Amino acid sequence: MRLRQLVPCLAVLVAVLAAPGCEYGNLKKYQDHVLNRIGYGPDPWSRTRIQQLGINGYIDEQLDPSALDDTALEDEIASLYPVTTMNFATSRTTFNEYTGNPDTGPYVPLRDGTRAKLLRSVKSKKQLEQVLVDFWFNHFNVDGNVEEARWGFLTMERQAIRPYVFGKFKTMLRKVAENPGMSDYLDNALNFKDGFVYLNLTRGINENYAREVLELHTVGVDGGYTQADIREVARAFTGWTMPTTFQFYPDGFLFLSQGHDRNAKSIFGGALQLAANRGQQDGIDVINFLAGLPQTAERISRKLCQRFISETAPPENVVQAAKQVYLDTDGDLREVMRTILYSGEFRDYNHAGSKVKRPLHYVASLARAVGVRDDATFAESMDGPLQRMGEGLYRAGPPTGYPESSRFWSGEGGYVQRTTLAWQAAHGEAGFAGNFLVYGITPTEIVDDLRKQLLRNGIESTTRQALIDLATSLPSAARIQEVAATMLASPDFLVH
Amino acid sequence: MTLSRRSFLKTATATMGALIAPGALLRARPARAVGTDPVLVALYLRGGADALSLVVPHAEAIYYTARPTIQVPAGHELDLDGFFGFHPALAPLLPWFQAGRLAVLHACGSPDGTRSHFDAQDYMEFAAPGDKTVTVGWLNRFLSSAGMTSPLSAVTIENAPAKALVGPAGSLAIPALARFDFYGTYTTERRNALRSIFGSTSRTNLGPMGVNAMDVLDLVGTIDTSTPVAYPQSKLALALKDLAALIKADVGVRVAAVNHTSWDHHAYHTTNFPVMAGELATSLDAFATDLGSDLDRTVVLVMSEFGRRIDENGAIGCDHGHGSVMMALGGSVAGGSVLLRNGVWPGLAPAQRFDGIDLAATTDFRNVFAELLDRHMGLSSLASVFPNFSVDTRNYPGLFA
């Protein structure tokens, strides 16, 4: 059947017919650019919503998504993937045995966490929240393949990151520091005062977390610290560890005061002085101090501008404005994001298409463009391709997480994998629905109808012509799907 | 910028145009002697591999007092020259060393003292210590200097090019040969369409990815990846197995990059280090065996961003350090010895340490790179490969006789 119609698509059609006058074409382009940047691309619901609310209204709702209802999705995820709702101790107890049964082994959290994240990326109405959860998880990255992070990465996302993407950075930083996935991944669980005997071994300082909390989580490598500062920060965090039994510590955090270095500390040339015998407050003060530094404010603002505006040339005026808002609001990330998304530079259409979609973004945007026929099949099918494209979810090895750079995501091997996914999406395989709203009959009409659904914010004229030539060369029954498969693998769909 | 990229695309297109049919290049290759071009493989140990555990200075008493828990106990090392010895897990590499095919360079590294993984890796891959303005990889600059611009000249067995290979000369990134195939129906028609689309797109941020992929699909698809050599089951081994297949097929690969990750042993050193070292040694042994006579034209350079702290930490591990170890295997490398700058070991005593805590780096890694490009790859003019560094043959570490 030539006309493939879905109920949600009718809503788009209504919105299209209701759209006013001569600005129509441009407005659609801007809308799709915004949907590509603060979400994982347009789907029927988001196109209708941004048409109803206008771009500013849509952004406001995304910045405060409490009124958006994802209940059905969250219920589905909880039912399909119960590990995603468990606390650390329960997850660790339930999935700690290498039994040979893939449904009970320690890889379940990674497997099901990946699937849950895929479904949220595609189906959540809170698109900006999903993008920001991914951004901040990546900022603090732990590798869900290793040690205690196997069970900790999901609670880190759920308890330390998601509640604060529109909250205070310092709170997120502290919750992450307490997470057992992080404290094991960066070895702070083994960071004790020199000479402390614990579990039959003589322990001492471990610098790993201290170095990365400075270099990666807060001020950055050029943030003005020395090797001596790393040592002092490490001493401040001695004793922030994991319990050996979890009965009274379901979230997996324990401050072991006997292992804490009680001596005074001095950080950043004395800018932060910690008196002796302050226990856990040492680490909390370091977190609040680092979170409040202008270097941290600037680095976070620049990173966000690279994500949302331009990775190669984040506009300095927006970086500085966001930094100032951060400093004025005690690091309120909702207000920092509002400053960036309300800047003229964010709306500047010259930035549209300047970034290569990362693999998750590509997969989710495919699913949002053509629909999902079967959630569980789709989520299960995408894990392998994401790993082969280099973005296995929760599997970034180094503490930097995955790079933002487009260059990193432009490898030939990854591209060939994308052509496979585009074909599957167009043919309704791997859980994709393959829904297309095509009324036309001639090759040109088919290409233009598909473009209106898949690439409303533009297609290069040479690409359009090559697709018309392709359609012409194919039997008519094969045209819609093969042209769609090719359009979804073309440069215009690979970028955002 | 745009111009050079476009001219590259044209060159690549012209060069590779004949490859659309399966195996075209293999059949159409001119009557040049097969397999004589030198190949350089950059094998990067990411995370700061512990140099003092890989190649143990077992004649230094301080080594044992600095590392009461994580030392290779005296007598357990595999002695190389009476002073240094391999970690026992490197046993598969010992025959290569003894046969004179493998050279070890100790106490090498960067003149920049950073202990940040990410800065140190960048400085090394861009061969520009301390200079964050350089963003073209040293091997990419080599490709430009040597006029090698075919997409197959340089390959990273990974989803993205290693930074050492990033730059205007282009390079291929293929994580797995077996997965490099074009799936679905009407593949010829769709590939021709995509080739035309990518050949004319003005989107520069995608680079030559699409054209390269369409050009080399058939060629890569015809390469025989089977081998009688038993590789271990690790990501590194699978990457080296694919790379060996590419080199043996002689499809034009000249420089290649492979990563081995997770060498950041702040803790669990005694558990995890032997596993990593064993994976490295068994994989490299299989690779060198698999290459057979192609090893004569291939040098593998093993490197890491820095070594680790001389004194162990309080968590059965050691923190980030400075001086590192490198290894060169294959080609006409004059192996069988541990090379030191002027033959002098900087020492582990407190007064001999870098910053008072780390092994000093007396051999600048750029001299190792330079000697390889000069003596192995045959590049005569090295100036453009090493910005702000004057190459002096007298500073070569002496990898070649």
Side-chain angles (χ1 to χ4, degrees), chain A residues 25 79 88 100 129 142 148 161 295 301 337 372 419 429 471 473 495:
Chain A
S79 149
F88 178 80
E129 179 182 309
V142 300
E148 303 290 337
I161 291 177
Q295 299 96 302
S301 298
M337 279 308 300
V372 172
T419 64
E429 289 194 2
S473 75
V495 298

Side-chain angles (χ1 to χ4, degrees), chain A residues 187 208 215 412-413 460 482 492, chain B residues 116 173 185 201-202 212 266:
Chain A
D187 303 313
N208 199 12
E215 178 174 340
E412 287 76 9
E460 289 184 283
E482 300 303 338
D492 293 306
Chain B
S116 154
T185 42
T201 183
S202 60
N212 282 355
H266 289 274

Side-chain angles (χ1 to χ4, degrees), chain A residues 284-295:
Chain A
I284 295 168
D285 283 3
V286 168
I287 281 168
N288 291 335
F289 172 77
L290 293 175
L293 286 174
Q295 299 96 302

Side-chain angles (χ1 to χ4, degrees), chain B residues 21 44 55 67 123 129 131 177 180 224 243 249 273 324 367 372 401:
Chain B
Y44 212 110
V55 181
R67 298 181 157 206
Y123 292 159
D131 184 350
L177 289 184
F180 200 74
D224 180 9
L243 180 56
F273 184 91
S324 179
N367 284 317
L372 281 167

Side-chain angles (χ1 to χ4, degrees), chain A residues 139-143 146-149 156 176-177 179-191 205-217 234 237 240 242 397-400, chain B residues 117-118 264-268 313 315 319-320:
Chain A
H139 178 82
F140 289 109
N141 184 55
V142 300
D143 180 355
V146 299
E147 313 291 346
E148 303 290 337
M156 183 170 114
V176 168
N179 180 270
M182 175 59 77
S183 65
D184 184 76
Y185 174 67
L186 289 182
D187 303 313
N188 206 65
L190 299 171
N191 178 29
I205 302 292
N206 187 304
E207 293 175 6
N208 199 12
Y209 172 73
R211 176 184 301 279
E212 305 306 11
V213 79
L214 290 162
E215 178 174 340
L216 301 179
H217 301 173
F237 282 106
W240 289 51
M242 286 172 55
T400 36
Chain B
H117 292 295
F118 318 105
D264 195 17
H265 297 123
H266 289 274
Y268 313 112
N313 67 15
D319 293 318
H320 301 183

Side-chain angles (χ1 to χ4, degrees), chain B residues 282-349:
Chain B
T282 51
S283 306
L284 205 47
D285 175 39
F287 179 66
T289 306
D290 191 10
L291 279 182
S293 62
D294 283 302
L295 184 64
D296 295 344
R297 64 185 183 105
T298 304
V299 171
V300 187
L301 179 66
V302 182
M303 68 196 106
S304 191
E305 67 263 35
F306 43 60
R308 305 191 74 85
R309 197 72 46 85
I310 293 173
D311 293 328
E312 67 180 44
N313 67 15
I316 319 181
C318 42
D319 293 318
H320 301 183
H322 189 57
S324 179
V325 72
M326 297 168 97
M327 291 187 258
L329 167 68
S332 54
V333 163
S337 57
V338 180
L339 301 167
L340 297 163
R341 171 93 174 132
N342 298 324
V344 178
W345 171 241
L348 302 182

